[in-house]
Amino acid sequence: MAKKPAPSPATDHALRDHQPGERQIKPTDSRGNGDELHQDVGTEVADPAGYLTDNFGHRISDNQNSLRAGERGPTLLEDFVLREKIFHFDHERIPERIVHARGSGAHGVFECTKAIPGLTKASILQKEGATCPVFVRFSTVAGGAGSVDTPRDVRGFAVKLYTDSGNWDLVGNNIPVFFIQDAMKFPDLVHSVKMEADRGYPQAASAHDTFWDFIGLMPEAMHMIMWAMSDRTIPRSLRMIEGFGVHTFRFVNEKGEGKFVKFHWKPVLGIQSTTWDEAVKIAGADPDFHRRDLFEAIDAGEFPAWDLGVQVFDEVFAKKQPYDVLDATKLIPEEDIPVEIVGRMTLNRNVDNFFAETEQVAFLPSNIIPGIDFSNDPLLQGRLFSYLDTQKSRLGTTNFHQIPINAPKCPFHNFQRDGMMQTLVPTGRANYEPNSLAEAGENGGPRASAETGFKTFKTNDERNDPAQKLRVRAELFADHFSQARLFYLSQTENEQAHIASALVFELSKVTLDHVRARVVGQLRNIDEDLAKRVAAGLAIDLPAKEKAARAPIDLKTSDALSIQKNADDTMEGRKVAILFAEGSDKAAIDKLKGDIEGAGGTAFLVAPKVGGIKVKGGTLKADGQLAGSPSVLFDAVASILTDEQAKALSGQGAAVQWFMDAYGHCKTIAHDEATQLLLDKAGVEKDGGVVAIDKFESVGTRRHWAREAKVRDLA
């Protein structure tokens, strides 16, 4: 028998040495200019596996910062560590999106309502009344495509504007800030929040060890954590969320003059959220709650709309602020720079095919048009590379721009040829330039235009030395707590209780004691009362305050950051359930239904049985059956019953729970005398939101937050 050859030294080494996570090496902790945590193993490590390397064995000196031209400069393409890290991350999943996998999309139109040619030469903003088609995709971040719509999570808010100058993709979220300051950390953030690697759960949830371990070590994330633990991340409807470009961009006008700009989408229906208990119950009752709500609203002609607003400012303003405008973990308070409304986006058509459009749409932050440009935000700079690469991986071809949902609606011509799934048929032999084929009567192809082509804003020396190449953050990036404190103190007492309760819930799922203690120690830098409430909710001693790299400063509170302070007392876009049964008064139901619809709301009839039910005055068909239409799906409820039916329903758990949940979720309950028996069984007490049927219109769909302390313990 022939002797088996020895394994290749390369293979042997790979099998022996490439086992991440097996070796326990104690690193030395230090903090960088931006207070980012560096963990260094030093120079003398017995086991080579203790050194962090790229995929080809090159040791890495800094895994926290991308390489940039100057402290506040743009990220450099030569940063092979960043490119490999993000390149590998972009290709980890096929074909589902790594993040934002579960999405809902719709078509619409954008209209300029205020021309701003003095600020930007962007074609769509040059003339009032100018329009262009849009496609919008809303999404959760952490869960897979098969997860539910209502977890506590950031919502993606990506808009593709098909302008006459090319596609402009404004790829943002429903939160104006982000967890991290540098794109180098994005793979680590997502790895930490995704299902834990050894067990494959929890799905679509941040309430677990690895996420909070990462957060506790990354104080730059604490501002975003305040937003993530607020009601902003459990929205009532996709039609009722704000959208933000997150980053600082630039406007550039015809003269080449530039100013900074932040983009906002303001929902015409206002902002509205659920309670956490509602979000959990909705997930069980209807996992597609947000997707269904958006589709049905557009299908019914109730087109959701958002106003596009801008905050425009210059370097003089930027230099005066106690934060860095290039830091994606910071916002500019609307009280300092008011949001100027320049356009309106209306979604008026559902997709024809979910896969062809919603799944195959590819957004690229690098898709901008003349008049819009980038800033040196290090998170944005990394995204400009990452998205193009990940779309090629997910859609399988460099020709993904030819898929109809991604193709521009203006002419495009270049010398790019071939590639997998090429659908165009270029003619002639001009696939390069310069060429002189036109001199022989052939088509020589397109050429660049120095006058009308895209020109990058030239200046790169604003508080920056572009001659330097550094892995470092600007020192002002180290203030991680001032704006987190600003956000928390800007909320109502009830909203603060929701944040504290969310933190208690999330951290109660963390099994590592030191991680819980570290996070609460970080919270002490935001607000002492918040930290005490969370510690009490976890039944742990208040830990020592974590050291802040820069002491937080008190900023003026901003009412614009609170949902409850800006709640619209409106019926428009809201859904009200009317419970009835055999023998109910049809005339009373019809009147209430007419009042709701007349005020812009939707009435949804609920009964113990669907189909035609005999009622006083005729026959009435329910829209939904009681057990399958829990009150968590509606903004308010009403009940018109007979004494006999109320007595019968009081013995049914679904009916009692229907009112118990509506009361517990602080919703308006309108009822007749017969329903009082059910209300008593459900423990519903009289207050300003529990009213007679004829008083419903005066109370509407507003929430009655003063009730909440009666129905649940809040941190």
Side-chain angles (χ1 to χ4, degrees):
M1 187 177 214
K3 185 178 180 182
K4 186 177 179 180
S8 159
T11 304
D12 179 62
H13 179 75
L15 292 172
R16 173 174 50 81
D17 195 44
H18 190 56
Q19 294 295 331
E22 285 193 350
R23 298 157 182 85
Q24 297 179 2
I25 297 171
K26 180 68 175 175
T28 300
D29 291 356
S30 64
R31 295 279 176 178
N33 276 10
D35 191 40
E36 71 276 14
L37 177 64
H38 293 258
Q39 296 185 322
D40 197 293
V41 296
T43 58
E44 297 182 7
V45 177
D47 191 335
Y51 291 104
L52 182 68
T53 74
D54 66 9
N55 285 334
F56 296 95
H58 307 119
R59 292 183 182 178
I60 293 171
S61 62
D62 185 339
N63 192 39
Q64 310 304 317
N65 297 298
S66 51
L67 185 65
R68 56 185 65 111
E71 187 178 78
R72 303 177 71 254
T75 301
L76 297 175
L77 188 61
E78 70 182 67
D79 189 351
F80 65 91
V81 177
L82 171 70
R83 285 189 288 114
E84 182 193 86
K85 186 175 182 180
I86 292 184
F87 180 82
H88 191 279
F89 172 73
D90 289 343
H91 294 258
E92 285 181 2
R93 302 286 187 275
I94 297 174
E96 184 180 284
R97 288 172 171 87
I98 297 173
V99 287
H100 299 280
R102 182 173 180 83
S104 305
H107 296 271
V109 63
F110 174 81
E111 179 180 1
C112 176
T113 57
K114 181 179 181 181
I116 49 173
L119 293 173
T120 176
K121 60 183 178 182
S123 59
I124 192 61
L125 299 175
Q126 295 305 293
K127 185 178 179 181
E128 185 177 327
T131 64
C132 73
V134 301
F135 185 81
V136 180
R137 187 176 186 273
F138 306 100
S139 55
T140 55
V141 175
S147 57
V148 298
D149 277 352
T150 58
R152 179 178 293 281
D153 199 355
V154 181
R155 296 311 190 278
F157 194 124
V159 182
K160 187 181 291 290
L161 298 96
Y162 303 93
T163 81
D164 58 5
S165 302
N167 290 356
W168 173 23
D169 292 356
L170 189 52
V171 193
N173 291 323
N174 72 321
I175 306 296
V177 294
F178 202 61
F179 291 97
I180 53 175
Q181 296 172 327
D182 194 300
M184 177 72 83
K185 302 310 297 174
F186 191 68
D188 299 302
L189 167 66
V190 176
H191 285 169
S192 77
V193 76
K194 282 284 193 177
M195 299 177 291
E196 297 202 357
D198 61 344
R199 62 205 68 183
Y201 65 84
Q203 169 74 279
S206 55
H208 57 94
D209 289 353
T210 58
F211 175 71
W212 286 100
D213 183 35
F214 180 79
I215 293 301
L217 296 168
M218 297 284 289
E220 68 197 65
M222 295 309 293
H223 186 196
M224 182 68 165
I225 284 297
M226 291 295 98
W227 287 82
M229 295 299 109
S230 78
D231 294 343
R232 298 272 182 158
T233 50
I234 44 174
R236 155 66 179 84
S237 166
L238 298 174
R239 299 177 291 137
M240 301 168 193
I241 62 174
E242 285 188 298
F244 301 90
V246 179
H247 306 287
T248 297
F249 290 88
R250 283 191 187 277
F251 271 156
V252 182
N253 64 19
E254 284 288 357
K255 298 178 182 178
E257 300 165 336
K259 288 193 174 182
F260 292 121
V261 59
K262 282 185 173 285
F263 295 106
H264 298 244
W265 293 107
K266 299 282 189 181
V268 173
L269 291 176
I271 310 171
Q272 186 168 327
S273 295
T274 64
T275 64
W276 173 240
D277 187 62
E278 276 181 291
V280 172
K281 289 176 177 175
I282 289 170
D286 185 0
D288 305 303
F289 182 66
H290 286 156
R291 182 174 291 176
R292 189 188 313 277
D293 174 81
L294 180 67
F295 187 95
E296 290 182 348
I298 295 174
D299 202 44
E302 299 170 2
F303 302 142
W306 288 261
D307 289 325
L308 176 63
V310 295
Q311 288 179 301
V312 182
F313 55 99
D314 56 19
E315 175 64 14
V316 174
F317 170 86
K319 191 182 296 187
K320 293 179 180 177
Q321 303 316 302
Y323 52 87
D324 198 311
V325 300
L326 301 184
D327 181 353
T329 68
K330 306 298 190 295
L331 56 79
I332 297 177
E334 294 183 28
E335 288 79 1
D336 294 348
I337 301 287
V339 175
E340 180 181 5
I341 302 300
V342 298
R344 174 166 289 191
M345 175 177 69
T346 304
L347 300 184
N348 56 20
R349 182 166 68 85
N350 283 310
V351 299
D352 293 315
N353 183 278
F354 184 86
F355 176 80
E357 297 170 280
T358 306
E359 275 303 287
Q360 289 198 128
V361 68
F363 294 93
L364 303 172
S366 53
N367 274 353
I368 54 175
I369 58 176
I372 314 291
D373 209 340
F374 311 119
S375 73
N376 292 340
D377 174 349
L379 182 62
L380 173 60
Q381 292 280 318
R383 293 179 73 202
L384 300 181
F385 163 78
S386 177
Y387 279 66
L388 181 63
D389 177 60
T390 199
Q391 302 300 3
K392 188 270 173 190
S393 173
R394 195 173 61 82
L395 296 171
T397 172
T398 190
N399 290 314
F400 68 85
H401 63 284
Q402 296 178 18
I403 298 172
I405 192 65
N406 296 320
K409 299 186 185 300
C410 62
F412 67 97
H413 304 284
N414 54 52
F415 293 101
Q416 294 170 19
R417 296 290 186 269
D418 307 336
M420 185 183 295
M421 300 301 294
Q422 174 61 255
T423 63
L424 303 178
V425 185
T427 58
R429 50 180 176 165
N431 60 358
Y432 63 97
E433 70 91 25
N435 69 63
S436 61
L437 297 176
E439 296 179 21
E442 299 183 37
N443 183 353
R447 296 294 191 278
S449 169
E451 293 299 318
T452 62
F454 184 89
K455 293 181 180 177
T456 297
F457 188 71
K458 295 180 179 179
T459 303
N460 183 33
D461 59 357
E462 295 161 334
R463 289 179 285 159
N464 179 62
D465 181 358
Q468 296 178 306
K469 294 193 292 187
L470 308 168
R471 288 192 186 276
V472 67
R473 297 186 195 184
E475 289 187 16
L476 204 53
F477 275 45
D479 181 1
H480 304 312
F481 301 107
S482 296
Q483 288 209 352
R485 178 173 173 79
L486 162 68
F487 179 80
Y488 181 72
L489 295 180
S490 297
Q491 310 302 301
T492 65
E493 287 186 15
N494 180 258
E495 288 173 309
Q496 290 178 353
H498 287 180
I499 292 172
S501 297
L503 284 160
V504 170
F505 174 84
E506 296 262 327
L507 292 172
S508 71
K509 302 292 185 180
V510 172
T511 64
L512 303 174
D513 292 343
H514 74 279
V515 170
R516 285 200 301 266
R518 182 185 292 124
V519 173
V520 177
Q522 297 284 17
L523 294 177
R524 294 189 67 179
N525 288 305
I526 298 172
D527 184 79
E528 278 290 325
D529 180 63
L530 171 62
K532 290 176 181 177
R533 292 164 76 169
V534 174
L538 295 170
I540 63 174
D541 293 333
L542 186 67
K545 181 188 290 188
E546 293 288 320
K547 184 179 179 182
R550 293 176 72 96
I553 59 176
D554 285 326
L555 302 171
K556 185 179 179 182
T557 57
S558 170
D559 287 348
L561 302 180
S562 164
I563 296 176
Q564 292 183 16
K565 291 178 183 177
N566 293 281
D568 290 336
D569 189 12
T570 178
M571 192 77 70
E572 189 176 351
R574 278 44 170 182
K575 183 181 278 190
V576 181
I578 304 174
L579 177 64
F580 74 99
E582 197 170 311
S584 293
D585 189 341
K586 184 175 185 297
I589 295 171
D590 288 343
K591 182 182 185 307
L592 180 58
K593 186 172 185 287
D595 290 343
I596 293 168
E597 292 174 347
T602 300
F604 189 94
L605 301 184
V606 178
K609 299 178 182 179
V610 295
I613 298 176
K614 290 182 179 180
V615 294
K616 179 183 176 182
T619 301
L620 202 56
K621 184 178 180 181
D623 298 310
Q625 192 258 348
L626 177 61
S629 305
S631 61
V632 292
L633 303 180
F634 308 103
D635 298 295
V637 300
S639 175
I640 299 175
L641 299 169
T642 65
D643 290 339
E644 183 180 357
Q645 285 294 334
K647 184 177 180 180
L649 288 174
S650 67
Q652 292 191 26
V656 175
Q657 193 68 43
W658 205 77
F659 289 103
M660 188 182 295
D661 280 344
Y663 183 71
H665 299 146
C666 305
K667 295 175 180 177
T668 294
I669 300 174
H671 65 96
D672 58 6
E673 288 185 17
T675 305
Q676 188 62 50
L677 178 65
L678 263 169
L679 299 185
D680 293 341
K681 188 77 177 285
V684 174
E685 299 178 12
K686 196 80 172 176
D687 63 21
V690 181
V691 298
I693 289 290
D694 61 353
K695 303 292 185 186
F696 175 74
E697 197 169 0
S698 64
V699 181
T701 60
R702 75 173 70 112
R703 298 278 185 139
H704 307 276
W705 296 115
R707 181 193 302 163
E708 191 164 25
K710 298 179 183 178
V711 296
R712 68 176 54 87
D713 289 332
L714 294 170

